[in-house]
Amino acid sequence: VENGLPAFDHLPASGAVAITAPASPWLFPLDFPLEVVDRLLHGRRDQRVTARATARENGPGGTTISRQELSRLSARARAARARR
């Protein structure tokens, strides 16, 4: 929200994150000791993901809503809620 108006400049998005697989569960009695030895030799292999929001490109209609249009939209929403 900027200056009391909603900001529609960023949209939610999703993306793939590569995660290394643990030791095979088929090695059941040995999988834990193998992972301990791997951690001792190679250290922690924590996954770090940095997310950055990028501005969306405005289409032909744009995303700017004037205060007058916003107040009309709010009035319509209140009226629709009252009719329920």
Side-chain angles (χ1 to χ4, degrees), residues 43-81:
R44 292 182 63 163
R45 295 184 184 191
D46 292 338
Q47 299 291 323
R48 293 186 187 264
V49 177
T50 303
R52 290 188 182 92
T54 56
R56 98 175 151 175
E57 295 183 21
N58 292 336
T63 57
T64 305
I65 298 176
S66 69
R67 286 198 180 272
Q68 185 179 11
E69 290 174 13
L70 185 61
S71 64
R72 275 191 252 147
L73 181 63
S74 296
R76 283 179 41 205
R78 282 192 296 275
R81 185 174 32 187

Side-chain angles (χ1 to χ4, degrees), residues 4-70:
L5 294 173
F8 298 107
D9 296 337
H10 296 88
L11 293 176
S14 61
V17 176
I19 299 176
T20 56
S24 173
W26 292 104
L27 304 172
F28 170 62
L30 302 175
D31 62 343
F32 180 71
L34 286 174
E35 288 184 11
V36 169
V37 170
D38 181 60
R39 187 167 178 160
L40 286 172
L41 295 176
H42 301 287
R44 292 182 63 163
R45 295 184 184 191
D46 292 338
Q47 299 291 323
R48 293 186 187 264
V49 177
T50 303
R52 290 188 182 92
T54 56
R56 98 175 151 175
E57 295 183 21
N58 292 336
T63 57
T64 305
I65 298 176
S66 69
R67 286 198 180 272
Q68 185 179 11
E69 290 174 13
L70 185 61

